[in-house]
Amino acid sequence: MRPMRRANRQITDPAEVRALIERCHTVRVGAVDEDGVFVVPLNFGYEWVGGRLVLYLHSASEGRKAEAFSRGPRVAIEMDVELGVITGGYACAYSFSYQSIMGSGLISPVANVDEKRRALELIMRHMAPDAPRDSSGKFSFSDEAVERVAIFRIDVDELAAKQRL
C-alpha cells in the first residue's frame, strides 16, 4: 500500500483500528463493471481471521451490485466516523474532524448455507446487537430468508486508518 502522505494522522495501533471499525456502521464499496465505476453504501458484519479483516455484506441477489460482486473483482472500501466541523477565521481555514478506514480486497459470493448463516449472525451482531435472539442466544433466520439473500465476503488485504482531530 502506498505510504500515507500525512503520516502524522495515521492510526497505527491495531486496537484503535479495531475500535474504529466497530464504531462504523456503513462501508462504501467501490467496484468496476462494464458500465464503469460505482460506489455503494452497505451495512456490514465482520471478523478478524489471522489478523486480517473479513467483511460480510448482504444484498438482493439481482441487480448491478450483485452481478458485479458475483464476478469476484477487487474492490475498494471506505468507512468513516464524522466528528464535526473544525472552525477557522476564514473560509479556507475550516475543515472537518473525522476518523476513516480505507482499503481494498477481493470480494466473493458466499454460497454455503452455514457460512451465509454465520455471516448474517455477524451482520446482526454488529448492526443490531440488541435485537431479539432465540433461546440459544443466536439470531434466527428462516431457511427461506437464508436461501433468498445474497451474501458477499470481502477478504481485505490492504487497510489504512487515518484521523483528523
Side-chain angles (χ1 to χ4, degrees):
M1 183 169 235
R2 177 187 290 201
M4 193 173 290
R5 184 180 66 84
R6 296 291 303 262
N8 63 317
R9 294 185 180 172
Q10 188 168 8
I11 302 170
T12 57
D13 180 348
E16 287 184 46
V17 172
R18 288 174 185 241
L20 173 55
I21 290 169
E22 182 60 29
R23 287 193 309 276
C24 293
H25 291 100
T26 303
V27 61
R28 290 161 193 86
V29 180
V32 178
D33 66 7
E34 60 277 355
D35 293 325
V37 177
F38 68 97
V39 176
V40 61
L42 299 157
N43 56 33
F44 65 97
Y46 69 95
E47 63 184 345
W48 295 90
V49 178
R52 290 213 162 169
L53 179 63
V54 176
L55 299 174
Y56 289 97
L57 318 167
H58 71 90
S59 168
S61 57
E62 297 177 354
R64 182 181 186 186
K65 171 182 56 186
E67 289 170 14
F69 291 178
S70 292
R71 293 186 191 114
R74 282 196 65 74
V75 294
I77 62 164
E78 188 279 342
M79 300 177 231
D80 58 72
V81 174
E82 297 179 2
L83 300 174
V85 174
I86 298 170
T87 60
Y90 55 95
C92 290
Y94 278 69
S95 188
F96 199 75
S97 182
Y98 64 89
Q99 292 180 305
S100 67
I101 300 281
M102 293 185 67
S104 60
L106 292 174
I107 193 165
S108 57
V110 174
N112 177 281
V113 172
D114 292 334
E115 188 178 359
K116 284 176 84 170
R117 283 186 186 281
R118 182 165 167 19
L120 289 167
E121 181 80 23
L122 289 169
I123 292 168
M124 288 298 293
R125 251 193 260 160
H126 180 62
M127 299 306 300
D130 297 327
R133 299 174 189 224
D134 65 20
S135 60
S136 69
K138 293 191 171 200
F139 296 102
S140 120
F141 310 101
S142 70
D143 292 341
E144 178 187 357
V146 173
E147 182 64 32
R148 185 180 58 233
V149 71
I151 300 289
F152 296 96
R153 171 186 171 134
I154 302 175
D155 290 287
V156 178
D157 53 25
E158 293 190 11
L159 185 73
K162 183 177 179 180
Q163 62 188 358
R164 167 85 160 97
L165 302 175

